[in-house]
């Protein structure tokens, strides 16, 4: 009985390590991320692609009100998986940090600098009493001096740079597909196609272009650009995946 009470103490206190060196609240936050729909980032020599599954729970929900991709600055975008409200707080923090850099130094913030600022903020919530970890993972994508970068920020406050990565539901399946199919020679649109293929691989249902958000940051322009539904549909039509028919999608 005493051992059970001790276990509950480690379970409830974010500032307390368990005897085996674990922070249970951080692990629970990671589980919250897994309950979110999948988000994928793919870095190519020409830029970075972000793809997010924006499936809605009801046909009565306005799809545009479900946001998983966010523009932070002209050259940086963020994609989220997990608790939407937590993501919104971190997105607001990232935008303020980017604006501060521009006002103070007259230049755009570096992608690595922004990623580490976000993860520093996340990390504070793993060692502050009365707080809880953020139940969200972010993919931070952008260009710096013409070089594309892609970072993952997880609930522990760690920033890891990737060539291709997935967060959220079905991560293992999607990441496995990325590991097998990714090559350094991909273009940006090919990176989008790879992410869409991985998303379809993990789903039992047909891929619906209208329920997928896509944005890219191209190295040539250093600009964040979201794709519209027709651009996504054009790429999906070239893939060997099962898709929802356009007529069915409009019903």
């Amino acid at each position: 009985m005493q051992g059970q009470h001790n276990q509950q103490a480690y379970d409830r206190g974010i500032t307390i390590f368990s005897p085996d060196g674990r922070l249970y609240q951080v692990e629970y936050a990671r589980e919250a991320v897994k309950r979110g729909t999948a988000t994928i980032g793919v870095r190519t020599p020409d830029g970075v692609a972000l793809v997010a599954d924006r499936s809605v729970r009801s046909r009565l929900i306005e799809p545009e009100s479900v946001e998983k991709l966010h523009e932070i600055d002209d050259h940086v975008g963020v994609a989220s998986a997990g608790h939407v409200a937590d993501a919104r707080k971190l997105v607001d923090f990232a935008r303020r940090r980017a604006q501060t850099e521009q006002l103070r130094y007259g230049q755009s913030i570096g992608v690595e600098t922004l990623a580490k600022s976000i993860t520093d903020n996340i990390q504070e919530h793993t060692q502050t009493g009365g707080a809880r970890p953020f139940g969200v993972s972010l993919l931070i994508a952008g260009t710096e001096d013409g070089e594309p970068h892609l970072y993952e920020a997880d609930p522990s406050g760690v920033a890891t740079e990737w060539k291709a990565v997935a967060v959220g539901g079905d991560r293992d399946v999607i990441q496995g597909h990325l590991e097998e199919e990714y090559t350094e020679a991909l273009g940006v649109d090919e990176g989008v196609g790879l992410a869409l293929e991985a998303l379809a691989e993990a789903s039992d249902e047909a891929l619906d272009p209208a329920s997928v958000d896509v944005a890219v940051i191209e190295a040539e322009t250093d600009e964040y650009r979201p794709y519209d539904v027709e651009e996504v549909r054009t790429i999906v039509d070239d893939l060997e995946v099962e898709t929802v028919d356009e007529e069915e999608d409009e019903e």
Side-chain angles (χ1 to χ4, degrees):
M1 180 66 73
Q2 185 65 33
Q4 182 178 358
H5 287 310
N6 288 339
Q7 183 68 30
Q8 289 177 349
Y10 300 126
D11 183 81
R12 294 172 181 170
I14 184 58
T15 60
I16 303 174
F17 282 98
S18 70
D20 55 351
R22 298 162 62 184
L23 290 173
Y24 287 109
Q25 290 294 320
V26 171
E27 295 183 17
Y28 297 157
R30 289 189 177 123
E31 290 299 318
V33 172
K34 293 178 183 178
R35 292 177 179 271
T37 53
T39 299
I40 305 166
V42 178
R43 190 189 76 192
T44 76
D46 299 331
V48 192
L50 294 173
V51 174
D53 181 359
R54 188 171 45 83
S55 301
V56 295
R57 299 185 304 274
S58 168
R59 65 184 182 86
L60 300 180
I61 294 177
E62 287 288 354
E64 291 76 14
S65 67
V66 180
E67 292 184 285
K68 295 200 64 177
L69 301 185
H70 309 268
E71 182 178 2
I72 302 301
D73 203 345
D74 290 342
H75 67 301
V76 182
V78 162
S80 66
H83 280 287
V84 175
D86 287 9
R88 188 175 64 246
K89 290 291 290 184
L90 290 174
V91 166
D92 288 345
F93 171 86
R95 286 172 174 165
R96 289 195 302 271
R97 181 67 182 83
Q99 291 168 3
T100 299
E101 188 83 3
Q102 185 67 51
L103 290 170
R104 183 174 295 169
Y105 302 110
Q107 63 185 21
S108 299
I109 192 168
V111 184
E112 181 180 6
T113 300
L114 180 62
K116 290 185 176 179
S117 293
I118 293 172
T119 50
D120 283 349
N121 183 34
I122 293 172
Q123 192 276 334
E124 286 182 14
H125 286 70
T126 70
Q127 63 177 52
T128 303
R132 66 160 174 80
F134 288 95
V136 65
S137 283
L138 300 181
L139 299 183
I140 304 157
T143 55
E144 186 173 350
D145 298 326
E147 289 293 325
H149 296 277
L150 173 65
Y151 291 89
E152 176 195 2
D154 95 326
S156 69
V158 174
T160 309
E161 189 166 11
W162 291 82
K163 297 176 182 178
V165 64
V167 292
D170 298 312
R171 171 172 180 159
D172 291 342
V173 176
I174 296 172
Q175 194 67 33
H177 185 85
L178 296 176
E179 295 278 358
E180 291 177 5
E181 302 296 332
Y182 178 86
T183 69
E184 300 279 358
L186 291 173
V188 175
D189 278 350
E190 292 171 321
V192 172
L194 173 61
L196 292 170
E197 282 180 344
L199 202 59
E201 180 81 12
S203 177
D204 295 330
E205 301 179 356
L207 185 64
D208 181 3
S211 67
V212 179
D213 276 345
V214 176
V216 299
I217 305 95
E218 296 179 346
E220 184 176 351
T221 62
D222 286 336
E223 289 185 358
Y224 175 95
R225 184 175 73 86
Y227 282 22
D228 60 33
V229 175
E230 290 310 313
E231 287 180 285
V232 177
R233 194 183 303 279
T234 298
I235 295 175
V236 169
D237 287 344
D238 292 334
L239 304 177
E240 295 181 0
V241 298
E242 183 183 359
T243 61
V244 174
D245 292 334
E246 186 172 353
E247 293 80 7
E248 180 182 336
D249 184 45
E250 291 174 350
E251 289 181 357

